[in-house]
Amino acid sequence: MNARVQPVAVAEVKASPFATHEVRNQARPATGFNAFEDDRALSGLIAKLAPWARDKLSALGAHAGSEAAQEAARLANEHEPKLVTHDRYGNRDDWVEFHPAWHQLMALAFQSEVHSLAWSTREPHGHLARAALSYLWNQIENGVGCPTGMAYAAIAGFAGKPQFALWRERTLTADYDPRRLPIEAKRAAVIGYAMTEKQGGSDLRETQTTARFVERGAHGEIYAITGHKWFFSVPVADGFYTLARTRSGVSCLFVPRLLPDGSANRIHIQRLKDKCGNRSNASSEIEYHDTWSILVGEEGRGI
């Protein structure tokens, strides 16, 4: 006897008229969790050593598990930074344009004190709490983890040096200000680093870039830098720590993007790196041409 064929329900056909298969054995979207509260090891360590930081960490942990932050991270890496070497009239511009998602993420990270908490708090274990913020941030988006880390280190470099007091104050601020303005007009500052050169790689003793003394004045000891950097992170930052060879050896100098009169410093972006890893952050190659800079620390002790 033939089995009776059951008719297919019309409602089933209308529900998915173009379906060719059913998706199975795939992970669900990783959203709706808290990367701090759900991390027993991290939350337990903070409860023991820095309980005062729990609310800040929990707030950032919630962002790590949010669909909005994850979508911003996707967009920032999908729409890569664009180098603008010249304006429409042919003048050098040396700027980088970013997708709005990058600025959204930068604002979130800096307002969350990922860069500054270690220096702004008076509570115990501030560096541990900031490290926990950085750990959580890198579960959101790695590219922004570069400028937050550089700002964290830069604040220590500015300490105790009167000529950098305003730079330290602006870098400590829990805010993000992407405008291209002199530091005096900014709400907050972003700091970059420029150390690596083609011939030396990570061996900074092989620095070829040179710096000649110009004058000693209100801004400190001024030097003019000529040379190149093979890896120049966050080229739209407000200022950069860099290395150059002076009469006494490899020295550390600070290069503001804008000069005290508001005009552009001589930082010429050659190209953006086609690099592995994150694509959201613009890593670049640059050249210095008598670039205005301020000595940091002692000559010959830059490294």
Side-chain angles (χ1 to χ4, degrees):
M1 180 183 288
N2 293 332
R4 188 172 180 177
V5 177
Q6 297 294 326
V8 176
V10 175
E12 288 184 24
V13 176
K14 289 183 177 179
S16 54
F18 304 109
T20 60
H21 63 285
E22 183 180 351
V23 178
R24 300 176 180 175
N25 195 33
Q26 292 292 315
R28 292 174 295 174
T31 57
F33 68 94
N34 188 307
F36 173 72
E37 300 291 352
D38 297 344
D39 187 330
R40 294 184 180 181
L42 180 61
S43 59
L45 184 65
I46 293 299
K48 180 179 179 181
L49 296 177
W52 56 269
R54 177 178 176 176
D55 289 347
K56 290 181 183 294
L57 290 162
S58 183
L60 192 61
H63 283 296
S66 74
E67 187 174 352
Q70 291 181 17
E71 178 64 4
R74 184 190 71 80
L75 289 170
N77 285 274
E78 182 73 18
H79 301 278
E80 299 181 16
K82 177 184 176 183
L83 174 61
V84 181
T85 57
H86 296 75
D87 66 17
R88 59 185 293 193
Y89 304 106
N91 302 303
R92 286 206 70 101
D93 197 18
D94 294 295
W95 196 244
V96 179
E97 294 178 347
F98 290 85
H99 188 273
W102 166 265
H103 297 295
Q104 177 186 341
L105 292 165
M106 285 284 285
L108 176 60
F110 278 79
Q111 289 167 4
S112 298
E113 300 180 87
V114 176
H115 69 301
S116 62
L117 184 61
W119 310 111
S120 62
T121 185
R122 295 184 177 181
E123 298 289 346
H125 301 294
H127 288 275
L128 170 65
R130 194 219 68 90
L133 283 172
S134 182
Y135 172 75
L136 292 171
W137 181 265
N138 279 280
Q139 297 176 55
I140 297 176
E141 204 283 314
N142 300 121
V144 170
C146 176
T148 57
M150 291 191 293
Y152 163 62
I155 293 167
F158 290 142
K161 301 176 179 66
Q163 66 271 36
F164 295 115
L166 183 59
W167 283 98
R168 188 173 192 274
E169 177 188 319
R170 295 292 193 270
T171 308
L172 266 171
T173 302
D175 198 0
Y176 172 60
D177 185 353
R179 297 175 299 166
R180 194 171 2 174
L181 295 172
I183 189 63
E184 293 81 4
K186 302 267 293 189
R187 300 190 313 271
V190 175
I191 305 300
Y193 281 69
M195 309 293 179
T196 306
E197 296 184 8
K198 297 171 185 174
Q199 73 288 341
S202 59
D203 186 356
L204 302 178
R205 297 169 299 177
E206 295 299 316
T207 295
Q208 290 182 342
T209 296
T210 60
R212 60 178 177 82
F213 177 75
V214 176
E215 63 179 353
R216 183 178 290 105
H219 298 282
E221 296 181 71
I222 306 305
Y223 287 70
I225 304 176
T226 298
H228 82 284
K229 292 299 171 181
W230 186 234
F231 207 93
F232 190 84
S233 294
V234 195
V236 297
D238 298 293
F240 308 87
Y241 279 90
T242 195
L243 292 176
R245 192 171 293 278
T246 64
R247 295 166 297 183
S248 303
V250 178
S251 304
C252 181
L253 300 112
F254 184 74
V255 179
R257 170 161 279 286
L258 298 180
L259 297 173
D261 65 4
S263 62
N265 206 350
R266 297 185 185 92
I267 303 170
H268 295 160
I269 305 175
Q270 303 303 299
R271 63 176 177 176
L272 300 186
K273 291 287 194 182
D274 183 15
K275 63 184 191 301
C276 297
N278 77 78
R279 310 291 290 188
S280 61
N281 183 13
S283 303
S284 64
E285 300 168 19
I286 63 100
E287 290 184 356
Y288 294 130
H289 297 271
D290 272 343
T291 305
W292 194 91
S293 66
I294 308 168
L295 181 67
V296 182
E298 300 177 35
E299 259 201 23
R301 298 184 61 83
I303 297 174

